[in-house]
Amino acid sequence: MLDKAIVLAGCAIGAGLALISGVGPGIGEGYAVGQACAAIGRQPECKGDVTSTMLLGCAIAETTGIYGFVTGLLLIFAAPRMFIGML
Protein backbone atom coordinates (compact mmCIF):
# COMPACT_ATOMS: atom_id res chain seq x y z
CA MET A 1 0.00 0.00 0.00
CA LEU A 2 2.78 2.43 0.89
CA ASP A 3 4.69 1.58 -2.27
CA LYS A 4 1.71 2.57 -4.44
CA ALA A 5 1.38 5.85 -2.57
CA ILE A 6 5.08 6.60 -3.11
CA VAL A 7 4.77 5.86 -6.84
CA LEU A 8 1.71 8.10 -7.18
CA ALA A 9 3.36 10.90 -5.22
CA GLY A 10 6.49 10.67 -7.35
CA CYS A 11 4.43 10.79 -10.54
CA ALA A 12 2.47 13.80 -9.28
CA ILE A 13 5.61 15.69 -8.27
CA GLY A 14 7.30 14.83 -11.56
CA ALA A 15 4.26 15.93 -13.56
CA GLY A 16 4.15 19.25 -11.73
CA LEU A 17 7.82 19.86 -12.39
CA ALA A 18 7.42 18.90 -16.05
CA LEU A 19 4.53 21.31 -16.53
CA ILE A 20 6.58 24.18 -15.11
CA SER A 21 8.64 23.96 -18.30
CA GLY A 22 5.85 25.81 -20.10
CA VAL A 23 6.83 29.06 -18.39
CA GLY A 24 10.20 29.38 -20.12
CA PRO A 25 8.96 29.29 -23.72
CA GLY A 26 6.26 31.84 -22.90
CA ILE A 27 8.75 34.30 -21.49
CA GLY A 28 11.26 33.65 -24.27
CA GLU A 29 8.74 34.01 -27.06
CA GLY A 30 7.37 37.22 -25.60
CA TYR A 31 10.87 38.64 -25.39
CA ALA A 32 11.66 37.55 -28.97
CA VAL A 33 8.51 39.16 -30.35
CA GLY A 34 9.24 42.37 -28.48
CA GLN A 35 12.78 42.50 -29.86
CA ALA A 36 11.50 41.72 -33.37
CA CYS A 37 9.02 44.59 -33.15
CA ALA A 38 11.81 46.90 -32.01
CA ALA A 39 14.02 45.75 -34.90
CA ILE A 40 11.22 46.29 -37.43
CA GLY A 41 10.59 49.72 -35.93
CA ARG A 42 14.25 50.65 -36.45
CA GLN A 43 14.54 49.16 -39.96
CA PRO A 44 11.14 48.59 -41.58
CA GLU A 45 12.71 47.36 -44.83
CA CYS A 46 13.91 44.11 -43.21
CA LYS A 47 10.44 43.17 -41.92
CA GLY A 48 10.25 39.90 -43.88
CA ASP A 49 13.63 38.60 -42.72
CA VAL A 50 13.03 39.50 -39.08
CA THR A 51 9.53 38.03 -39.08
CA SER A 52 10.53 34.72 -40.65
CA THR A 53 13.51 34.32 -38.30
CA MET A 54 11.34 35.19 -35.30
CA LEU A 55 8.65 32.68 -36.27
CA LEU A 56 11.22 29.92 -36.72
CA GLY A 57 12.77 30.71 -33.35
CA CYS A 58 9.38 30.76 -31.63
CA ALA A 59 8.47 27.40 -33.19
CA ILE A 60 11.71 25.85 -31.94
CA ALA A 61 11.29 27.39 -28.49
CA GLU A 62 7.72 26.11 -28.26
CA THR A 63 8.85 22.50 -28.65
CA THR A 64 10.36 22.55 -25.15
CA GLY A 65 6.99 23.52 -23.71
CA ILE A 66 5.26 20.81 -25.72
CA TYR A 67 7.79 18.20 -24.55
CA GLY A 68 7.16 19.21 -20.94
CA PHE A 69 3.40 19.06 -21.45
CA VAL A 70 3.55 15.60 -23.01
CA THR A 71 5.88 14.40 -20.24
CA GLY A 72 3.45 15.72 -17.62
CA LEU A 73 0.52 13.97 -19.27
CA LEU A 74 2.45 10.71 -19.43
CA LEU A 75 3.37 10.98 -15.77
CA ILE A 76 -0.24 11.67 -14.80
CA PHE A 77 -1.98 9.02 -16.89
CA ALA A 78 0.43 6.35 -18.14
CA ALA A 79 3.21 6.03 -15.57
CA PRO A 80 1.10 5.21 -12.48
CA ARG A 81 -0.57 2.28 -14.26
CA MET A 82 2.76 1.03 -15.56
CA PHE A 83 4.60 1.28 -12.24
CA ILE A 84 1.76 0.04 -10.05
CA GLY A 85 1.31 -2.93 -12.40
CA MET A 86 4.95 -3.86 -11.74
CA LEU A 87 4.52 -3.83 -7.95
Side-chain angles (χ1 to χ4, degrees), residues 25-87:
I27 293 171
E29 289 173 20
Y31 182 75
V33 170
Q35 294 298 313
C37 289
I40 292 170
R42 286 192 302 272
Q43 292 182 344
E45 65 273 2
C46 67
K47 178 182 177 184
D49 294 335
V50 171
T51 303
S52 62
T53 304
M54 179 203 60
L55 288 175
L56 179 64
C58 285
I60 292 171
E62 188 65 32
T63 59
T64 59
I66 293 171
Y67 290 150
F69 180 68
V70 170
T71 303
L73 287 177
L74 288 173
L75 283 170
I76 291 170
F77 295 112
R81 290 185 189 137
M82 184 177 69
F83 289 126
I84 291 175
M86 291 173 32
L87 296 177

